[in-house]
Amino acid sequence: MTSELFSPLLLRSGQVLKNRIAKAAMEENMAAQGQLPGDQDAPLEPFADWAKVGKSGGGAIWMQINHPGRQVASDMPGVVWGPSDVGVSLGKHSSRFGRPTAMTQKQIEDTVTRFAVTAHRAEQAVFDGVEIHAAHGYLLSQFLSPLVNKRTDQWGGSLENRARMLLEIVYAIRSAVSPSFAVAVKLNSADFQRGGFDAADARQVIEMLEPLGVDLVELSGGSYESPAMTGRPADNRTQAREAYFLDLAKDLVKTSPLPLMLTGGITRRNTAERVLYSGVALVGMGTALTLTPDLPERWKNHREADRLMEPVTWSDKALASAASMARVRHLMRRLARGRNPKVGTSPTFALISERRKQRVALRTYRAWLSKGRRAAGR
């Protein structure tokens, strides 16, 4: 099985991934000022530098493209968009998020175009592909969810209508990039909310994606309201500590016409091998590679990570999820400064430190936004 873990994977675009281990995209919060909006007006050089560094070790690098939709902090400037005006429901924490305005037809069409423009710019910057984020409760996941998408037009109602925006984005991107440029989609295996997007929906959406030239579907799960992706599963079909979504992936892989990648809770070689044995084509890891960046090389030499991070088990699930993500971002910043990850970092310390940094970043963002508006004469 070790040979399969380090065997190549041929994608339908013609790209060949050298092995079956991927560093999953994560929210690092380390972007330079004004860098991440990859629209037509953004400078290409920072993205080209990013791609060059990312590929310097011999791997492929894909840009993940996302829109937060309603999952935007209430103190952020600007309008919060969503498929409907249904806000994030987190009990006493709900006020931390802005109240969304239902998108107009034009806003939906413009957003589809912006995804395609960003993908084209990614190819110009010599990224190897893009991944469209349609999971974790962000905008495209919101359109897919019957709990959030209450529209009665062609963008809501049936699953075909709720998936329409995602499908149009995929089509627009495939039309804007070269056939050899990889296009992937990150999709929830389930939202883990009663009456929400479930595994049966995921199966149908994967089938809808196949004719559009998608190379790969990455499976994850959850949202801010049900943060299964941070290791706090919301039903007993997920595993508490390892490969959170493997049980669902096993079902989906039976009928999937596309290669699947599974992300969430994979930290040991044995677990990764078990994922591949289930029929999943690619293993995605985030936190594990943050803690032990040389983990794949260790696996080659039959070694495991010598540091593990205990989960945050606070009773307040929303706060625990925020603290968990803050702690990982804290470790990534240490890595960026050339320091070793400090596994014993207190989640409370990480969360407080993170919020201080966010306040500073918000002031910087407001100033940058205001400067851009003045320059545009608005």
Side-chain angles (χ1 to χ4, degrees):
M1 189 58 63
T2 303
S3 61
E4 185 178 354
L5 192 59
F6 295 98
S7 66
L9 176 64
L10 174 64
L11 302 176
R12 66 195 301 182
S13 61
Q15 281 196 36
V16 178
L17 303 182
K18 293 183 178 180
N19 56 59
R20 304 304 181 93
I21 304 170
K23 159 63 175 66
M26 301 175 76
E27 184 185 348
E28 295 93 352
N29 281 10
M30 292 191 293
Q33 181 177 335
Q35 179 177 322
L36 279 191
D39 56 24
Q40 193 62 53
D41 298 323
L44 199 63
E45 290 76 13
F47 292 94
D49 291 342
W50 186 6
K52 182 178 180 181
V53 172
K55 297 164 67 169
S56 62
I61 182 168
W62 298 356
M63 178 189 290
Q64 186 183 84
I65 311 175
N66 190 19
H67 190 300
R70 66 176 188 159
Q71 289 185 164
V72 174
S74 55
D75 56 0
M76 287 285 288
V79 179
V80 181
W81 286 356
S84 309
D85 61 357
V86 179
V88 176
S89 178
L90 280 178
K92 63 183 179 181
H93 300 294
S94 298
S95 61
R96 293 178 52 203
F97 293 90
R99 186 75 185 183
T101 300
M103 295 176 73
T104 66
Q105 173 77 17
K106 185 177 187 308
Q107 287 168 341
I108 292 173
E109 292 172 352
D110 289 347
T111 301
V112 170
T113 300
R114 287 172 68 91
F115 269 86
V117 168
T118 299
H120 176 63
R121 298 281 283 170
E123 185 175 25
Q124 287 181 314
V126 202
F127 280 79
D128 298 295
V130 292
E131 180 183 64
I132 304 158
H133 200 335
H136 297 174
Y138 294 114
L139 181 66
L140 299 182
S141 180
Q142 292 161 30
F143 268 87
L144 288 169
S145 169
L147 298 178
V148 184
N149 185 346
K150 301 297 186 181
R151 302 180 73 99
T152 57
D153 58 7
Q154 71 268 36
W155 307 98
S158 67
L159 179 60
E160 289 76 11
N161 281 356
R162 288 184 277 120
R164 189 182 304 276
M165 188 175 186
L166 169 61
L167 300 179
E168 292 208 3
I169 285 172
V170 173
Y171 180 82
I173 287 177
R174 255 294 158 231
S175 301
V177 300
S178 303
S180 59
F181 190 71
V183 177
V185 172
K186 187 165 188 170
L187 186 70
N188 273 356
S189 54
D191 288 349
F192 301 103
Q193 292 177 279
R194 187 181 300 277
F197 186 84
D198 59 21
D201 294 330
R203 179 176 291 107
Q204 293 183 62
V205 172
I206 292 171
E207 291 173 355
M208 294 175 195
L209 291 170
E210 193 278 333
L212 300 181
V214 170
D215 287 273
L216 180 80
V217 172
E218 179 186 2
L219 295 177
S220 188
S223 66
Y224 284 10
E225 292 178 333
S226 182
M229 64 284 192
T230 61
R232 297 188 61 88
D235 75 13
N236 58 16
R237 291 193 299 166
T238 60
Q239 300 180 44
R241 297 295 296 274
E242 295 184 352
Y244 312 140
F245 313 110
L246 180 55
D247 287 344
L248 293 173
K250 285 179 180 178
D251 289 336
L252 292 172
V253 79
K254 293 175 184 176
T255 58
S256 176
L258 296 172
L260 300 181
M261 168 178 162
L262 183 65
T263 299
I266 300 170
T267 61
R268 299 183 301 130
R269 191 182 74 179
N270 181 60
T271 306
E273 291 173 346
R274 187 155 48 92
V275 169
L276 294 183
Y277 184 74
S278 74
V280 171
L282 202 63
V283 171
M285 296 189 293
T287 300
L289 292 179
T290 299
L291 295 174
T292 313
D294 65 340
L295 188 55
E297 190 65 28
R298 287 173 178 246
W299 285 355
K300 273 188 177 180
N301 296 313
H302 304 283
R303 296 170 56 213
E304 293 289 345
D306 53 17
R307 52 170 73 97
L308 297 173
M309 190 162 59
E310 290 297 317
V312 182
T313 56
W314 300 346
S315 58
D316 187 322
K317 292 184 179 182
L319 204 58
S321 175
S324 177
M325 291 188 288
R327 187 170 56 175
V328 174
R329 286 193 288 264
H330 175 76
L331 299 183
M332 285 191 283
R333 283 191 285 268
R334 286 181 62 91
L335 278 177
R337 295 194 297 267
R339 303 172 67 183
N340 289 328
K342 192 174 180 181
V343 179
T345 299
S346 159
T348 302
F349 169 81
L351 186 59
I352 293 173
S353 175
E354 176 88 359
R355 290 188 172 174
R356 286 173 177 167
K357 291 180 183 298
Q358 288 175 345
R359 284 196 292 269
V360 173
L362 183 58
R363 288 197 296 269
T364 304
Y365 174 68
R366 282 175 172 156
W368 173 79
L369 195 63
S370 176
K371 181 179 179 181
R373 286 171 175 168
R374 288 197 302 271
R378 288 179 285 179

